[in-house]
Amino acid sequence: MSKYFNIAGPCNPQDHYMLNAADRLREVMPLIEQKQYFVIHAARQSGKTTFLWDLEQRLNDSGKYYALYCSLEGLQGVTDPKEGIPAIVNCIKLALQMQAVIPNRETFAQSADFSDFTNVLLAELCKFCSRLDKPLVILFDEADCLSASTLISFLRQLRNGYNSRIRTPFVHTVALVGMRNIRDFKAQVCPESETLGSASPFNIVAESLTLKNFTGEQIVEFYAQHTADTGQIFEDAAISLVQQQTQGQPWLVNAIAREVVVETLQSDYTQPVTAPMVSEAIQTIIRRRDTHIDSLLERLKEERVRRIIEPVIIGEQASIEMLSDDYRYTEDLGLVRYTPSVGVAPANPIYAEVIVRTLNWSSQSEIESTHPEYHMPRYFKDGKIDLGYLLRDFQDFWRENSEIWEERFQYKEAAPHLILMAFLQRVINGGGHLIREMA
């Protein structure tokens, strides 16, 4: 079976086109060699799990360490440490059963005292590490699924083990991996609490690292794998458009290529991938709202995200506090980015489009059902848009509807912008594309 562009789950080099995972975060190995505990955070579907699986394999193959990948995803919502800590111990136990290279794995937590939930994780890791002949590295994926008292107890037991390593064997290195940075774990403890900050239960973190998006050169390298495999060429203009529209977001880079190669060209590798094909694929992905985009845009309902996205839409950059937890959280989610030339903006043009379409979707639908007369042919005059006519129509529409519609928006300050764009979206549906510039 030939390789393909992956848009679901972690990548593996046997089945999927992928960049060398080790090259994406070279800072990790020195931290492990120094016995450090650290955090890796990045937006959803940016390659975190793929990187961890590769790191686990490389560490075990090195002969210097025993490495264990352990996902905590199943513990979301388990807030009581009496249940949460035993569940974490069992997650480690299950992960050990699947990692044959680690010896004595059947002895882990064999006689654990789960009634002592404030110490059982610490005690069992100490006992297990004392039986190993190499340092143990644990990579906790989806660590930010933990919340409330379960999270606090988990972090405190790891910190106690870290601080006592000089006297008692404990885990050599721990990596906490998820969408959130360690500073934002406070939202998982109590949404209204002060930030965990440097006094947090995990203030032993040496570094907080992030997986960056693909560079232009990496996109070229990535698509060249497909060309080498099939002979199908990605034209330079097509690659440039992918880079400009995605800003290197890994899932989008994969999704666009898959849409063109599999859906548009029906795997006919004799045809080159062109910029118009890429453009149409982007519109299809936007309209389809795949799971990746849907899960990301679900965050728009969060008040702390609204406090960042709304000023971006209406152009009030000065109201965004760059050092605030709200901004850093929204950036960590992959929704926004900062550049000196633009300031805070959507992370890429595709997200800019789907953010607006998501926020004004109900308005678009209502305009379409209640005002079918607003459509592109109405505004054509001598082959051009009669802008005056279009804007007068919108003025009439605004006078009739704005007061009622503004109240429906969670993003009330941005309601005029969003309603205007909903109106324009209805006008061009089936007859063109909007090119949006925020504010």
Side-chain angles (χ1 to χ4, degrees):
M1 178 180 173
S2 60
K3 292 183 180 180
Y4 59 93
F5 294 104
N6 183 33
I7 59 170
C11 296
N12 68 73
Q14 287 74 41
D15 296 332
H16 308 131
Y17 298 118
M18 58 181 287
L19 297 175
N20 186 349
D23 290 340
R24 297 196 65 200
L25 210 57
R26 294 181 178 274
E27 303 96 320
V28 162
M29 289 307 297
L31 292 173
I32 293 173
E33 291 166 3
Q34 297 164 15
K35 305 182 182 180
Q36 301 290 352
Y37 287 18
F38 56 90
V39 168
I40 299 174
H41 67 96
R44 190 176 298 280
Q45 291 182 295
S46 55
K48 297 185 296 295
T49 301
T50 298
F51 176 80
L52 293 180
W53 284 3
D54 176 78
L55 179 60
E56 180 193 43
Q57 184 70 47
R58 284 187 288 122
L59 291 172
N60 284 320
D61 288 348
S62 74
K64 294 173 60 178
Y65 308 99
Y66 293 125
L68 181 69
Y69 169 88
C70 179
S71 174
L72 302 177
E73 185 174 10
L75 278 72
Q76 188 156 19
V78 183
T79 58
D80 188 341
K82 293 179 183 178
E83 300 175 15
I85 297 302
I88 292 171
V89 172
N90 285 326
C91 281
I92 297 172
K93 192 171 185 176
L94 178 61
L96 282 166
Q97 291 173 9
M98 295 187 289
Q99 183 48 274
V101 74
I102 301 179
N104 304 316
R105 60 190 184 281
E106 69 283 349
T107 66
F108 178 77
Q110 210 167 33
S111 55
D113 179 11
F114 288 124
S115 66
D116 185 13
F117 63 90
T118 59
N119 290 301
V120 65
L121 176 64
L122 169 65
E124 294 306 320
L125 286 174
C126 283
K127 285 190 287 186
F128 186 66
C129 290
S130 69
R131 293 191 288 266
L132 295 177
D133 59 336
K134 297 176 189 174
L136 177 65
V137 176
I138 302 183
L139 311 170
F140 286 111
D141 200 2
E142 306 289 352
D144 50 352
C145 285
L146 302 179
S147 57
S149 297
T150 292
L151 173 61
I152 290 293
S153 182
F154 171 69
L155 296 179
R156 282 180 174 156
Q157 291 185 61
L158 290 180
R159 183 178 66 177
N160 288 344
Y162 175 93
N163 290 336
S164 303
R165 287 187 305 178
I166 193 168
R167 296 181 300 170
T168 306
F170 196 66
V171 184
H172 176 89
T173 290
V174 167
L176 298 181
V177 184
M179 284 200 302
R180 302 169 189 255
N181 198 345
I182 187 68
R183 64 170 181 266
D184 201 63
F185 275 36
K186 64 101 174 180
Q188 299 295 83
V189 177
C190 175
E192 302 304 321
S193 70
E194 292 299 316
T195 180
L196 288 175
S198 60
S200 79
F202 208 58
N203 61 355
I204 52 177
V205 165
E207 293 283 350
S208 181
L209 309 172
T210 188
L211 282 171
K212 298 180 176 64
N213 286 344
F214 295 166
T215 64
E217 292 77 10
Q218 286 174 322
I219 294 175
V220 171
E221 176 191 343
F222 180 60
Y223 286 165
Q225 295 175 26
H226 175 75
T227 301
D229 222 13
T230 66
Q232 186 170 46
I233 295 170
F234 282 77
E235 292 184 353
D236 291 345
I239 296 177
S240 295
L241 184 58
V242 169
Q243 164 64 9
Q244 188 271 328
Q245 287 288 304
T246 69
Q247 292 298 303
Q249 203 288 328
W251 185 89
L252 291 174
V253 172
N254 271 280
I256 292 170
R258 183 185 184 282
E259 183 66 28
V260 174
V261 171
V262 177
E263 301 300 331
T264 303
L265 296 177
Q266 298 290 304
S267 299
D268 178 0
Y269 302 137
T270 63
Q271 297 189 55
V273 175
T274 67
M277 292 176 187
V278 167
S279 181
E280 188 54 44
I282 289 169
Q283 293 303 315
T284 300
I285 290 167
I286 289 171
R287 289 192 297 268
R288 195 168 59 212
R289 282 184 56 165
D290 292 331
T291 303
H292 165 82
I293 291 174
D294 244 7
S295 61
L296 190 68
L297 296 181
E298 186 68 19
R299 303 287 184 168
L300 295 174
K301 298 176 182 177
E302 299 180 20
E303 180 61 19
R304 60 194 311 206
V305 173
R306 183 200 64 78
R307 290 195 288 262
I308 303 302
I309 296 295
E310 190 163 52
V312 170
I313 293 173
I314 66 178
E316 293 187 357
Q317 292 270 339
S319 68
I320 300 176
E321 176 50 63
M322 300 290 293
L323 297 180
S324 70
D325 286 342
D326 289 345
Y327 172 75
R328 290 177 172 180
Y329 171 67
T330 307
E331 184 182 47
D332 287 346
L333 289 174
L335 280 168
V336 298
R337 66 188 178 112
Y338 174 82
T339 60
S341 58
V342 177
V344 181
N348 55 65
I350 294 176
Y351 287 177
E353 180 73 9
V354 293
I355 284 170
V356 170
R357 289 205 194 188
T358 298
L359 293 176
N360 67 12
W361 176 253
S362 61
S363 299
Q364 288 180 44
S365 302
E366 189 163 335
I367 293 171
E368 190 156 353
S369 62
T370 59
H371 296 278
E373 70 274 18
Y374 298 140
H375 57 91
M376 183 65 81
R378 176 184 176 98
Y379 304 107
F380 269 135
K381 184 177 180 181
D382 299 327
K384 297 180 180 180
I385 294 176
D386 186 339
L387 192 59
Y389 183 21
L390 187 152
L391 291 178
R392 285 193 298 275
D393 258 7
F394 179 71
Q395 286 178 323
D396 293 340
F397 172 81
W398 179 261
R399 293 188 189 101
E400 181 182 342
N401 298 283
S402 62
E403 190 171 330
I404 299 171
W405 282 23
E406 280 186 293
E407 289 305 309
R408 301 178 187 176
F409 282 89
Q410 178 191 0
Y411 288 52
K412 294 191 185 302
E413 293 295 321
H417 300 67
L418 294 170
I419 293 172
L420 170 61
M421 287 191 274
F423 179 89
L424 294 175
Q425 189 71 51
R426 166 57 194 147
V427 167
I428 61 93
N429 272 352
H433 293 156
L434 282 178
I435 300 171
R436 306 182 197 273
E437 182 177 337
M438 291 297 180

